[in-house]
Amino acid sequence: MKIALHAISGRHPAAPHSAALALQRLTLDIAAGEQVAVIGPSGAGKTTLLQLLACALRPAGGSILLDQHNPWKMPTRKLQRLRGLLFLAPQVPPLPPRQRVVTAVLAGRLPHQGLWHSLRSLFYPTGIAEADAALARFDVADKLFARVDRLSGGERQRVGLARALLSQARLLLVDEPLSALDPTRAGQAIATLTQAARERRATLVTTLHDVPVALQHFPRIIGLRAGQLVFDLPATRVTPALLQELYAQEAQSGPTLPLEEPPTQPRAVPMTCR
């Protein structure tokens, strides 16, 4: 799915209407099938950007085009169909605590199922093999019939990503998918997610605090700070100096950044973010 943003502005979804804008006059184009990582300090506007792209949040200004269509000028029924082609995975997956994992994963198909089939699947899940295969790609297949409230935070995040694989979305929007994962699991999860997006030719936009993972797995990096664009560059052109500028306000307690230019490929940079 092709994305075109022109001078788009928006408030954080939890903020009152009188609050300051979390995203300010952002202009951006993303080609269909492209994979983009959005980085920046806390409060940069990353989550607000994903909410706008998911048509879950009406812009406070500017315009958004998805495949050359303005979603907010569509009739309600067409907007609902468009939303069925978008998948937003929040940082904390909205998984009902008493639900079985298999049902939670198969919920990724709900936008494309009829009401009767959707209700029936709550009691007699169909597509168990597909759910098991999606979970296996994130190394949680052994939790297929476990209850969601018995999962660890990292397992919940991987179940949420497995659900994205079962959706038919053409635009995958993933918010901080690695916050509860150890470094090894984080690398595996993001590699699986990017590979799955390539296989289905879906556009992928992911927000990340883990800068080394972003540089390693995404060809394009967008840096946001205080709701504004700092840079939009290929990963190979994101220098330590640019990262220092992006995270300048967190220099004391935020990410640890490299102080010299990487020779060819970006080095792994140990970072911790608030």
Side-chain angles (χ1 to χ4, degrees), residues 52-132:
L52 289 166
L53 293 175
C55 300
L57 181 66
R58 185 181 288 271
S63 64
I64 175 172
L65 297 179
L66 300 177
D67 277 348
Q68 301 182 339
H69 298 288
N70 186 330
W72 298 108
K73 293 184 178 181
M74 289 180 170
T76 301
R77 185 164 295 181
K78 286 188 176 181
L79 177 57
Q80 290 174 343
R81 285 200 294 266
L82 173 63
R83 284 173 172 156
L85 301 176
L86 315 174
F87 186 93
L88 174 62
Q91 182 175 356
V92 179
L95 306 177
R98 298 180 66 87
Q99 193 174 61
R100 299 290 176 180
V101 167
V102 60
T103 305
V105 173
L106 290 172
R109 294 180 170 181
L110 290 180
H112 305 278
Q113 293 178 339
L115 177 61
W116 169 247
H117 189 92
S118 299
L119 292 174
R120 182 179 182 274
S121 67
L122 292 175
F123 302 97
Y124 302 100
T126 58
I128 292 177
E130 290 84 351
D132 183 62

Side-chain angles (χ1 to χ4, degrees), residues 1 32-35 83-89 105 108-112 130 134 137-138 160-174 192-204:
M1 181 174 287
E34 195 170 3
Q35 299 190 0
R83 284 173 172 156
L85 301 176
L86 315 174
F87 186 93
L88 174 62
V105 173
R109 294 180 170 181
L110 290 180
H112 305 278
E130 290 84 351
R137 296 186 71 168
F138 292 99
L161 294 177
R163 179 158 66 175
L165 267 56
L166 262 67
S167 75
Q168 299 179 27
R170 293 168 48 205
L171 174 58
L172 301 174
L173 305 163
V174 186
T192 298
L193 181 63
T194 54
Q195 181 182 352
R198 282 192 296 270
E199 292 170 355
R200 61 202 286 181
R201 299 181 180 179
T203 306
L204 173 63

Side-chain angles (χ1 to χ4, degrees), residues 129-258:
E130 290 84 351
D132 183 62
L135 290 166
R137 296 186 71 168
F138 292 99
D139 199 24
V140 280
D142 59 318
K143 304 299 181 181
L144 180 64
F145 294 108
R147 272 180 28 172
V148 169
D149 56 3
R150 295 176 182 172
L151 302 178
S152 68
E155 289 168 343
R156 287 173 61 93
Q157 282 195 319
R158 285 181 283 160
V159 168
L161 294 177
R163 179 158 66 175
L165 267 56
L166 262 67
S167 75
Q168 299 179 27
R170 293 168 48 205
L171 174 58
L172 301 174
L173 305 163
V174 186
D175 193 11
E176 298 293 351
L178 312 179
S179 59
L181 302 181
D182 61 66
T184 300
R185 294 289 191 193
Q188 293 172 344
I190 210 69
T192 298
L193 181 63
T194 54
Q195 181 182 352
R198 282 192 296 270
E199 292 170 355
R200 61 202 286 181
R201 299 181 180 179
T203 306
L204 173 63
V205 182
T206 305
T207 66
L208 288 169
H209 271 309
D210 194 324
V211 175
V213 169
L215 294 175
Q216 180 180 356
H217 292 279
F218 288 85
R220 180 179 173 185
I221 309 294
I222 291 172
L224 295 181
R225 178 179 172 185
Q228 297 183 335
L229 182 69
V230 177
F231 59 78
D232 178 2
L233 293 169
T236 54
R237 293 178 56 193
V238 177
T239 65
L242 285 173
L243 295 175
Q244 292 283 6
E245 177 187 355
L246 182 65
Y247 291 98
Q249 293 180 338
E250 296 192 350
Q252 298 300 319
S253 58
T256 302
L257 303 172

